Amino acid sequence: MAIQHSRSIVNLEVLNSGGTDIVSRVEVQFTSYDDSDQERTTIDSSESFELNTDGVSNTDEGFVAFADLTEATVLGWLGTELTDSETRCQTGHSAWIDSVLNPPAPPTVNKANPW
């Protein structure tokens, strides 16, 4: 019984500025599941990250053309904001998965009348 976590980029938005394809927004999906019951415990969350594109040009040193981007490169741009979001998602996902596998006792129950 171990919880597995993963992340992947599911969408990129680029500036609509004449074909330079400068990435301005990244959507990352976080997925978690318990390997003892993947079907019942899979949970997904997604988060969007805005990139600062002020003054960015495809002539800048170090600029990576859209066609040459890798997921690792784009995730690297997100820095601690990604790390913080991932930690929050994993914590929430883990709690939800635990509640699915070990449901808490209800606070009240029906009981037959004593007469």
Side-chain angles (χ1 to χ4, degrees), residues 20-39:
T20 56
D21 290 336
I22 296 172
V23 178
S24 61
R25 186 176 158 278
V26 179
E27 184 178 353
V28 178
Q29 181 171 328
F30 302 99
T31 302
S32 304
Y33 65 89
D34 190 281
D35 60 11
S36 69
D37 190 346
Q38 184 173 351
E39 186 175 325

Side-chain angles (χ1 to χ4, degrees), residues 18-94:
T20 56
D21 290 336
I22 296 172
V23 178
S24 61
R25 186 176 158 278
V26 179
E27 184 178 353
V28 178
Q29 181 171 328
F30 302 99
T31 302
S32 304
Y33 65 89
D34 190 281
D35 60 11
S36 69
D37 190 346
Q38 184 173 351
E39 186 175 325
R40 253 185 356 123
T41 61
T42 297
I43 182 171
D44 298 309
S45 299
S46 52
E47 181 119 8
S48 293
F49 301 88
E50 302 291 328
L51 298 174
N52 182 0
T53 58
D54 292 341
V56 174
S57 167
N58 61 347
T59 59
D60 291 346
E61 185 176 326
F63 182 85
V64 179
F66 189 83
D68 296 329
L69 289 175
T70 65
E71 187 171 47
T73 298
V74 176
L75 290 172
W77 295 341
L78 305 179
T80 58
E81 190 177 0
L82 172 64
T83 306
D84 293 346
S85 291
E86 187 169 32
T87 299
R88 273 192 315 277
C89 278
Q90 288 180 358
T91 300
H93 286 184
S94 294

Side-chain angles (χ1 to χ4, degrees), residues 92-110:
H93 286 184
S94 294
W96 181 84
I97 290 168
D98 184 55
S99 73
V100 168
L101 295 175
N102 305 297
T108 61
V109 294
N110 289 329

